[in-house]
Amino acid sequence: MFRNVLRTSRCLAVRRINIATPIFKRSILQSSVKPFCVCTNRDFSSNISNADSSNQVEQAVFEDICNETLESLCEYFEEIIDRTNNLKGADVTFSDGVLTVNLGTSHGTYVINRQTPNKQIWLSSPVSGPKRYDLVLNNGGYWIYKHDGVPLHRLLQEEISKIIDNVDFNSCNHSLV
């Protein structure tokens, strides 16, 4: 019981200090507690201004641009697979914001999907691994990986052109190659 009384009186004392005048609080804090910093906003290094990023886009606009991008990529991958004879077992599926491009057992599978809460497009590549792309509103809108500054369509152009000749992702919606 004595322990509970001490705890209660300690809590009351802390509350009383917190509602004390600012001058009194300042002198107590300076003498007994080391100052600390509370970070409320963390900016990552990037060459893209925050005003042009996907964080500033309304949800409906983001959804439209994202769907246009994924549908355009789906159509282009289907076209590539149809005209290429050396891809055994290649297949493209697009459902619920997830585009899966299987280029066969020797080349692997690309998965490109919408991440609505983050307002990003995520890519899983068998060559370069996972990446998260943010929308930049300049030049009609395009998707860029902020860590290296390489746009989504340029990365796909570089990786797919090693497998298939004559690919041009510049014809897709919201591309920057």
Side-chain angles (χ1 to χ4, degrees):
M1 178 155 175
F2 183 66
R3 190 177 288 164
N4 288 338
V5 171
L6 285 177
R7 285 185 193 145
T8 305
S9 60
R10 199 176 313 144
C11 288
L12 290 174
V14 169
R15 252 191 238 149
R16 186 161 272 247
I17 289 171
N18 286 337
I19 59 172
T21 60
I23 296 170
F24 180 69
K25 270 176 73 172
R26 197 175 316 128
S27 65
I28 289 174
L29 287 175
Q30 287 174 350
S31 64
S32 63
V33 179
K34 294 181 182 178
F36 64 95
C37 175
V38 176
C39 297
T40 58
N41 187 11
R42 182 175 176 191
D43 293 328
F44 295 98
S45 63
S46 169
N47 55 1
I48 302 166
S49 70
N50 285 338
D52 295 333
S53 70
S54 58
N55 294 333
Q56 306 299 323
V57 176
E58 291 183 22
Q59 191 66 31
V61 173
F62 167 78
E63 292 286 334
D64 288 342
I65 292 174
C66 195
N67 286 334
E68 288 174 7
T69 302
L70 292 173
E71 288 172 2
S72 175
L73 284 170
C74 179
E75 291 172 6
Y76 190 66
F77 274 114
E78 286 175 346
E79 179 185 319
I80 289 173
I81 290 173
D82 286 344
R83 68 182 170 145
T84 306
N85 296 329
N86 64 347
L87 294 175
K88 303 294 183 205
D91 186 34
V92 177
T93 57
F94 179 56
S95 177
D96 294 327
V98 179
L99 173 63
T100 305
V101 182
N102 183 355
L103 297 177
T105 56
S106 60
H107 302 295
T109 301
Y110 287 82
V111 179
I112 307 168
N113 65 313
R114 171 181 62 229
Q115 288 295 319
T116 304
N118 302 345
K119 294 185 180 176
Q120 294 176 327
I121 285 182
W122 289 6
L123 166 72
S124 175
S125 165
V127 178
S128 59
K131 295 185 188 273
R132 298 174 180 188
Y133 289 88
D134 293 293
L135 176 64
V136 176
L137 297 175
N138 296 340
N139 301 327
Y142 60 93
W143 300 92
I144 193 157
Y145 184 56
K146 287 186 175 183
H147 295 283
D148 61 9
V150 176
L152 170 66
H153 291 81
R154 184 178 303 156
L155 179 81
L156 291 172
Q157 175 81 28
E158 291 170 0
E159 290 184 8
I160 302 298
S161 65
K162 294 177 183 173
I163 302 169
I164 303 165
D165 294 332
N166 300 326
V167 293
D168 183 20
F169 282 90
N170 201 26
S171 61
C172 295
N173 291 341
H174 307 290
S175 69
L176 182 67
V177 178

